[in-house]
Amino acid sequence: MTTPPALLIAGHGTRDDAGAEAFRDFVRELGRRHPELPVAGGFIELSPPPLGDAVAELVERGVRRFAAVPLMLVSAGHAKGDIPAALAREKERHPGISYTYGRPLGPHPALLSVLERRLAEAVDPAWDPADVTVLLVGRGSTDPDANAEVLKAARLLWEGRGYAGVETAFVSLAAPDVPAGLDRCARLGARHVVVLPYFLFTGILPDRVRLQTREWAAAHPETGVRSADVIGPEPELLDLVWERYEEAVKGDLRMNCDSCVYRIALPGFEDKVGLPQQPHFHPDDDDHHHGHGHGHGHAHSHAH
């Protein structure tokens, strides 16, 4: 009987210790759920262990084949370029290993169910859902395709759930920011707003969303505002990662290339088509503000 490939979880990374530990706990729980195969996880930046150490751990355990799943909600620079570049580097460091690469997580009905649960936890029981506007706040990216995925998640979340509407905002690198998103909700006549962070775990950026929400609410007492929690290590998330693993093993990747700036000349991003990918850092997680998004395009073959 053929031994199944190991599972490698690739995370973004955060300076927030609780957020990093939540990722590590999540990887350990996946290992407990699936004792039949080795499971390891590492980060692209900011947090230990780095992805290279996770690959080395698998190799030390005798692994020669693995499937890598990006623990990320959208296909931005990390999922499209940084992780493939890191995996290619590890293949050079460990001759003889092979891997397949899965796709990011969202939007997915399982995650939408968790988001709906987070909304239910945050909404005042006295509020009529028809009077509640949701502001879904994503990380934000210089990649318009990634930002568009957040809007897709917002639309899917709105469908059939009875809320007045679901608007979008971003905490970094893209407009509108959280205050502007809240302003838009108010201009649209929102009586009550729930700010819903589109993040897997706690961290610096979700904390910033909560702080900006609190500041806006204090300045606009006429609008009822609540903050919802992040998605968290829910059973649905564990199941979804396993689904992405099985897709990768079977070769059923279905990567999204239709609106990727590295394949398609989108207005304002024509210079990115075909650029080679170089690893990069996300500025707002670490208070460093170099030119994120410039000179880090990727070849985008998706033949992982």
Side-chain angles (χ1 to χ4, degrees), residues 114-125 163 194 228:
V114 179
L115 291 173
E116 184 176 14
R117 195 156 67 240
R118 294 292 176 257
L119 285 172
E121 293 164 356
V123 167
D124 188 316
Y163 291 103
V194 177

Side-chain angles (χ1 to χ4, degrees), residues 135 137-139 169-172 174 176-183 195 204-220 225-227 284:
L135 182 65
V137 181
R139 172 181 292 273
F170 302 93
V171 73
S172 173
D177 60 16
V178 174
L182 286 164
D183 287 343
V195 177
I204 290 174
L205 296 184
D207 288 347
R208 187 176 302 166
V209 173
R210 188 174 291 272
L211 174 63
Q212 292 177 350
T213 299
R214 188 163 58 245
E215 291 173 343
W216 189 93
H220 300 81
V225 182
R226 294 286 184 88
S227 289
D284 294 288

Side-chain angles (χ1 to χ4, degrees), residues 7-304:
L7 170 57
L8 175 69
I9 307 298
H12 179 284
T14 174
R15 292 290 184 192
D16 182 80
D17 291 340
E21 186 57 27
F23 170 89
R24 293 188 286 262
D25 282 343
F26 186 83
V27 172
R28 288 190 284 266
E29 178 59 26
L30 276 168
R32 286 190 289 269
R33 278 186 164 216
H34 301 283
E36 72 278 10
L37 77 163
V39 177
F43 295 101
I44 288 296
E45 60 182 5
L46 300 174
S47 315
L51 194 62
D53 286 4
V55 173
E57 175 192 334
L58 291 176
V59 171
E60 289 169 4
R61 296 167 67 180
V63 168
R64 309 306 290 169
R65 298 186 304 134
F66 62 86
V69 175
L71 197 68
M72 298 173 184
L73 289 167
V74 301
S75 295
H78 289 299
K80 288 179 176 179
D82 292 346
I83 297 172
L87 293 175
R89 184 170 59 239
E90 294 309 311
K91 190 172 183 180
E92 292 180 358
R93 290 177 177 171
H94 305 283
I97 67 169
S98 62
Y99 62 88
T100 54
Y101 182 43
R103 57 181 173 142
L105 304 176
H108 188 280
L111 294 182
L112 295 174
S113 295
V114 179
L115 291 173
E116 184 176 14
R117 195 156 67 240
R118 294 292 176 257
L119 285 172
E121 293 164 356
V123 167
D124 188 316
W127 293 354
D128 182 344
D131 293 330
V132 174
T133 299
V134 179
L135 182 65
L136 185 70
V137 181
R139 172 181 292 273
S141 174
T142 56
D143 185 338
D145 184 36
N147 296 330
E149 287 188 37
V150 180
L151 272 75
K152 181 177 182 179
R155 179 68 196 192
L156 291 171
L157 181 64
W158 180 78
E159 292 280 355
R161 288 180 170 84
Y163 291 103
V166 181
E167 299 298 318
T168 53
F170 302 93
V171 73
S172 173
L173 298 172
D177 60 16
V178 174
L182 286 164
D183 287 343
R184 175 176 170 80
C185 292
R187 288 197 300 271
L188 289 170
R191 295 181 58 192
H192 309 293
V193 180
V194 177
V195 177
L196 179 62
Y198 195 41
F199 287 82
L200 293 174
F201 303 125
T202 58
I204 290 174
L205 296 184
D207 288 347
R208 187 176 302 166
V209 173
R210 188 174 291 272
L211 174 63
Q212 292 177 350
T213 299
R214 188 163 58 245
E215 291 173 343
W216 189 93
H220 300 81
E222 69 281 2
T223 304
V225 182
R226 294 286 184 88
S227 289
D229 286 333
V230 295
I231 291 170
E234 295 294 291
E236 292 94 335
L237 183 58
L238 289 156
D239 291 341
L240 178 54
V241 170
W242 185 252
E243 182 178 323
R244 292 290 186 255
Y245 164 80
E246 291 185 320
E247 287 176 357
V249 169
K250 295 173 184 175
D252 182 21
L253 299 183
R254 293 178 287 177
M255 296 295 282
N256 169 33
C257 296
D258 294 337
S259 54
C260 176
V261 290
Y262 303 113
R263 279 183 179 268
I264 307 300
L266 296 181
F269 296 87
E270 294 87 351
D271 61 328
K272 289 181 178 284
V273 175
L275 286 178
Q277 177 68 37
Q278 300 294 331
H280 68 284
F281 294 92
H282 195 286
D284 294 288
D285 280 331
D286 194 30
D287 294 326
H288 55 90
H289 299 279
H290 59 72
H292 183 77
H294 301 287
H296 67 275
H298 65 111
H300 204 62
S301 71
H302 282 171
H304 305 301

